[in-house]
Amino acid sequence: MSSTPPTKRISRRIGRFRGDRRVILILLLAAIGLAGWSWLQDHPEHNPSAPLDLRDPAGWATGAKLAELADDPAQCRAVLARSDISFTALEPQGDGACRRSDRTVLDAFPYASPPPASTCPVAVAMQLWLDQTVQPAAERLFNQDVQTIEHYGAYSCRRLYGRDEGPWSEHATGNAVDISGFILADGTRVSVLGDWDGESAKAEFLRTVRDGACSGFSTVLSPDYNAAHADHFHFDRAPRRIGGVCR
């Protein structure tokens, strides 16, 4: 017959149970962590440590990866190369506030001629916008691709709204691009100025592509913003969070 008091035997059993429970909890957490790590390997768009590839769908980590490209043309151009996007890196130009140290042209992007030379982060965001928003919206609403994207350029050495003083525009360094319209494969034109208002398929398309741009640009301005943007979309990669201004 055991001489150990019942209360002590119960305490030992409780201690063993607690120890077993801790082991089970540790094993469970390890299994969850392993499953999560494996899932991230299959979904690089959600994996912060996976290199950005523009062929991947947009994910939780995409915005942070885009933000890392600011002020790092070499890293940005490595993303284009990794994503099999043909581009041309041009020599720096300009001085002072209008110095363009990063001039990147997307060789196969369907810009109306001549294609604008923007910063590389703008080029990356434009490619994502084309692939993940513009062409899918055109297929859904018009059953065809966009063949040409009309624009007002990327570079303009000026202050905001052309004022004589005040902050410099993102256009002064080519860190912005203005989009005025789209030409579909059958020649149909969709114009920001002419088709923004109303409930037509063209108006729906314009609102869809405006909203989709907010996931890649820090500033997206449309006719909803003010009269100065009645005929174009303004996209830029100003140093603020992606989607910081989306109107």
Side-chain angles (χ1 to χ4, degrees), residues 146-169:
V146 167
Q147 181 174 317
T148 305
I149 296 180
E150 299 176 320
H151 62 90
Y152 291 153
Y155 173 69
S156 177
C157 181
R158 59 177 173 82
R159 299 179 188 273
L160 288 175
Y161 298 103
R163 296 167 180 156
D164 294 332
E165 57 185 21
W168 287 90
S169 168

Side-chain angles (χ1 to χ4, degrees), residues 4 12 18 22 41-42 59 63 74 86 88 126 131-132 138 142-143 156 161 197 201 220 222 231 233 235 244:
T4 304
R12 288 176 178 174
R18 287 175 177 170
R22 284 195 294 269
Q41 305 315 301
D42 295 333
S86 178
T88 300
M126 286 297 291
D131 294 341
Q132 299 183 4
F142 307 119
N143 295 313
S156 177
Y161 298 103
D197 294 324
V220 174
S222 73
D231 63 348
F233 297 144
F235 302 155

Side-chain angles (χ1 to χ4, degrees), residues 168-186:
W168 287 90
S169 168
E170 291 298 313
H171 286 289
T173 56
N175 198 37
V177 63
D178 289 340
I179 302 301
S180 59
F182 306 81
I183 299 176
L184 304 179
D186 67 358

